[in-house]
Amino acid sequence: MSDSTRQSLATLDETCKLAQDIAQLVQPPMTIGLVGTLGAGKTQLARFLVAAMGGPEEAVTSPTYVLAQSYSGRCKIHHFDFYRLDTSAEVWDLGIDELFEQPVLVLVEWADKFPACLPDDRVTINLSLEESSGRWAEVLGGGVRSSEIVANLPWNSCK
């Protein structure tokens, strides 16, 4: 099962609202993949997601060089960045697979680099910057639980 919806993110407030809407629907364990080019807004969306889950927004930075960070909120949040990784073995070395069944939220920037290392049932947020129409988010559900999240987003009826 797969479901998707696309939404304009013209302002930071709209990006924050997307994060809040998703956070209200997420029940751990859940994985959220963040996909997009450099500067598309992956880390900003992660910041807003952490804050919406009751974590410290100001502590969220891109884990590009440290590869992983953890935060506490209404659940434990693990934030990974696959940008600098070259092989799936490096992903497994991070111990990410041990988290998928725990009651945690796993956020993965550059999730498209190693999709086979992530659960099939995950929310994927593709962020894009389009010259003519600005910033967009396409939210996809890859399984039963994640498709329910996408289907229940408040702006899903605007497809």
Side-chain angles (χ1 to χ4, degrees), residues 4-91:
S4 72
T5 187
R6 190 167 189 254
Q7 175 70 23
S8 171
L9 299 178
T11 66
L12 279 178
D13 286 342
E14 290 175 348
T15 303
C16 183
K17 177 75 169 104
L18 170 62
Q20 291 169 345
D21 291 343
I22 290 172
Q24 288 181 350
L25 298 168
V26 166
Q27 292 299 319
M30 180 52 68
T31 299
I32 298 176
L34 303 172
V35 176
T37 60
L38 286 170
K42 295 178 297 296
T43 301
Q44 184 61 59
L45 183 56
R47 250 182 227 113
F48 287 145
L49 279 165
V50 168
M53 296 292 290
E57 177 182 348
E58 67 283 351
V60 179
T61 59
S62 175
T64 299
Y65 294 102
V66 295
L67 304 179
Q69 297 185 78
S70 296
Y71 312 101
S72 293
R74 94 172 184 236
C75 67
K76 192 74 168 173
I77 303 163
H78 297 279
H79 182 194
F80 294 88
D81 190 317
F82 289 176
Y83 182 73
R84 294 181 54 236
L85 302 180
D86 294 319
T87 67
S88 58
E90 291 175 299
V91 174

Side-chain angles (χ1 to χ4, degrees), residues 52-130:
M53 296 292 290
E57 177 182 348
E58 67 283 351
V60 179
T61 59
S62 175
T64 299
Y65 294 102
V66 295
L67 304 179
Q69 297 185 78
S70 296
Y71 312 101
S72 293
R74 94 172 184 236
C75 67
K76 192 74 168 173
I77 303 163
H78 297 279
H79 182 194
F80 294 88
D81 190 317
F82 289 176
Y83 182 73
R84 294 181 54 236
L85 302 180
D86 294 319
T87 67
S88 58
E90 291 175 299
V91 174
W92 300 130
D93 286 345
L94 294 172
I96 194 170
D97 56 323
E98 298 169 9
L99 301 173
F100 296 142
E101 297 302 318
Q102 295 181 23
V104 302
L105 175 62
V106 177
L107 301 176
V108 180
E109 294 190 38
W110 298 93
D112 54 326
K113 282 193 75 174
F114 300 102
C117 294
L118 301 175
D120 291 335
D121 194 357
R122 68 179 177 272
V123 172
T124 300
I125 304 171
N126 292 315
L127 298 166
S128 61
L129 288 169
E130 298 175 10

